[in-house]
Amino acid sequence: MTFNKTTASALREQNSFRILDLLYRKGVMTRTALSKELNLSLPTVLRVTQPYMNDLLSIRGKDKSVGGRRAERIFFNYSSRKIAGIQIERDFFIIVISTLNRTPLIVEKVLFNCKSPSDLSKKITDKLLDYAKGNQFSPTDLEALTIAVAGVINEEAHSIADDFPLEWKNIFYDNFFGPDFRDSFPNCEVVFENDANALAVGEYTDRKMTDESLIALYFGRGIGAGVMINGKLYKGDHGQAGEIGRWVPIFNGKDETFESYFEHSEPSKKIQVVLSVLSDLVMLFDPSKIILAGNVEDLYDGIIQNLKMISRVNIEKSIKKDLAVVNGALAISAKEFIKKVSYKNYDRKYGFYTEV
């Protein structure tokens, strides 16, 4: 009996997530359309959607009909809650507050020495409180915050960004923020992710990709790659997948990492080494798209002109430009919110992103 109850409860929560996630992505659908696309019964769709009516969901008008009754149109109310994304580099952070569909309400780049996590967490908390006091959003409406950091996040070792360039020590997701943050934003889930991984999620989401693979390269103080394989973010067993800056290829007989070689090389050499690394990534993961973001403007044309080396994939610059990483952080926050409202036993106050 216990097993059956548990199984039925888990199935209801899974159906809730599937329905809300599809409505979130589509914006508006009828219950009949939801039923057909997800292969769920109409009573199941009705049971799932009803508790969210006049809040997260609303009915506005009816669909066109070819005969019979016109179906009601269910809208996802993107403005009903707020989410946030933050990109952290060594000497600045970018913070964005948005509606659930990632429409920015607040965007600010803050010059700050981010190598001290205690000072940084206090600065972020103060910034969010300033926005709230200015009536730009209500603290209780902030549902999810994703922090995209430059560096490795290793859940097994309980460490966040303890490597170049932030070099944080003894910081994990449960001790980054203090009580002031949790008291001020009681409904806010916090997720940490690597910046290149967040970039990959955002680009994948923006392109409405489903089963394809994508690689996103971010050029900041370091160089990292985010890898989406068939709709899932691939991070490896220790969170270090995509840390291409640590590769030790042989350039002119020198034993040094890709990152260090890239930093001191001439532009023409940089283009060559990027193409070489891209070629290796294509051979490893066979993606349909490669996205470049960050400090890549001076290299992009040269890379495109030499595409014959990797002609099987499309290479593009992120259209989000300076907000490319934080856009991905917002995409992760939106997904976390859907998970939170769908799963009653969702109690992960801080954690890591795993899939789209």
Side-chain angles (χ1 to χ4, degrees), residues 104 110 128 149 179 230 257 291 316 319 343:
V110 182
L128 290 171
V149 298
N230 301 328
T257 64
I291 308 300
E316 305 171 9
I319 62 171
Y343 297 102

Side-chain angles (χ1 to χ4, degrees), residues 82-86 93-98 106 108 110 120-140 142-147 176-177 180-182 184-185 188-190:
K82 305 298 181 290
I83 54 176
I86 298 176
F93 65 89
I94 298 174
I95 184 168
V96 177
I97 311 294
S98 79
I106 301 166
E108 185 176 3
V110 182
L120 176 62
S121 64
K122 184 178 185 307
K123 183 70 172 180
I124 291 172
T125 302
D126 289 345
K127 276 289 178 185
L128 290 171
L129 287 172
D130 286 345
Y131 301 146
K133 289 175 182 175
N135 296 320
Q136 298 186 62
F137 75 97
S138 170
T140 56
L142 187 62
E143 294 281 354
L145 163 63
T146 297
I147 300 176
F176 180 79
F177 283 117
D180 287 350
F181 178 89
R182 289 185 279 272
S184 300
F185 306 100
C188 186
E189 309 292 340
V190 178

Side-chain angles (χ1 to χ4, degrees), residues 251-252 254 256-274 299:
F251 299 117
N252 299 326
K254 297 178 180 178
E256 61 180 333
T257 64
F258 168 33
E259 208 161 63
S260 61
Y261 178 87
F262 187 86
E263 186 176 2
H264 63 68
S265 295
E266 296 294 323
S268 61
K269 297 285 188 181
K270 289 183 178 182
I271 290 170
Q272 291 177 16
V273 71
V274 169
L299 306 177

Side-chain angles (χ1 to χ4, degrees), residues 72-252:
E72 294 175 323
R73 304 171 74 202
I74 301 175
F75 283 76
F76 197 103
N77 294 332
Y78 296 114
S79 61
S80 62
R81 303 288 194 282
K82 305 298 181 290
I83 54 176
I86 298 176
Q87 177 191 0
I88 296 175
E89 276 281 3
R90 190 170 71 182
D91 49 7
F92 71 86
F93 65 89
I94 298 174
I95 184 168
V96 177
I97 311 294
S98 79
T99 56
L100 290 172
N101 63 343
R102 294 182 286 152
T103 300
L105 303 173
I106 301 166
V107 179
E108 185 176 3
K109 180 176 181 178
V110 182
L111 299 180
F112 194 79
N113 180 1
C114 298
K115 294 192 71 172
S116 169
S118 59
D119 292 344
L120 176 62
S121 64
K122 184 178 185 307
K123 183 70 172 180
I124 291 172
T125 302
D126 289 345
K127 276 289 178 185
L128 290 171
L129 287 172
D130 286 345
Y131 301 146
K133 289 175 182 175
N135 296 320
Q136 298 186 62
F137 75 97
S138 170
T140 56
D141 281 348
L142 187 62
E143 294 281 354
L145 163 63
T146 297
I147 300 176
V149 298
V152 174
I153 299 176
N154 190 331
E155 188 167 8
E156 182 180 8
H158 281 228
S159 65
I160 296 175
D162 65 353
D163 55 339
F164 178 86
L166 293 174
E167 299 174 334
W168 292 350
K169 302 301 177 187
N170 302 316
I171 294 298
F172 199 45
Y173 57 79
D174 54 0
N175 68 353
F176 180 79
F177 283 117
D180 287 350
F181 178 89
R182 289 185 279 272
D183 292 342
S184 300
F185 306 100
N187 299 323
C188 186
E189 309 292 340
V190 178
V191 177
F192 289 87
E193 190 49 82
N194 169 266
D195 51 7
N197 287 345
L199 170 66
V201 171
E203 298 296 328
Y204 200 90
T205 303
D206 286 346
R207 287 165 173 75
K208 303 185 187 305
M209 300 172 76
T210 52
D211 296 322
E212 303 102 318
S213 296
L214 172 148
I215 296 174
L217 263 66
Y218 181 69
F219 297 80
R221 281 190 173 273
I223 300 168
V227 181
M228 298 290 298
I229 301 177
N230 301 328
K232 295 186 181 297
L233 179 62
Y234 179 72
K235 295 193 283 190
D237 291 341
H238 307 96
Q240 296 189 38
E243 288 295 315
I244 60 173
R246 299 180 175 199
W247 284 8
V248 187
I250 299 175
F251 299 117
N252 299 326

